[in-house]
Amino acid sequence: MKQSVIATLFLGIVFFFAQKTETGASLLHPTINYMLVFYLMLSYLIERLMSQGLRNNREKFVQFYMTVTVLRLLLCLVFVGIFLYNGVENPHLFILDFFALYLFYTCFEIWGIYRKLRAN
């Protein structure tokens, strides 16, 4: 969990300074902070579920991981759907920023799981 908090704080600092520049402000959606909080909570949930999956039944880890991945995808779709339903301004930029963060946190999650599996 510590790595997720550090990564989110790093992204938050980068986004804060990027919003102060004209170019950065045009590339970041105003709801980027909500997205960061959502991904921090989601990474905490995923980490808890994955540690439980590694502890309980290692033979079914792949099925458990796929289930958690589908759950993450569904939660992300619900998050995007709620914002789009409420009429977020500039929806294309919102989706682009959300997808960029989705890729970042997915790669970060895979790296963390790979490290845990490698250690075992």
Side-chain angles (χ1 to χ4, degrees), residues 1 4 38-49:
M1 180 62 198
S4 297
F38 170 75
Y39 276 114
L40 181 63
M41 291 186 312
L42 189 62
S43 65
Y44 176 74
L45 174 68
I46 298 299
E47 185 176 333
R48 288 285 134 211
L49 289 174

Side-chain angles (χ1 to χ4, degrees), residues 5-17 36 101 104-105:
V5 171
I6 291 171
T8 303
L9 284 175
F10 175 74
L11 283 176
I13 291 169
V14 169
F15 291 160
F16 174 77
F17 287 118
L36 283 176
L101 285 174
F104 173 79
Y105 277 97

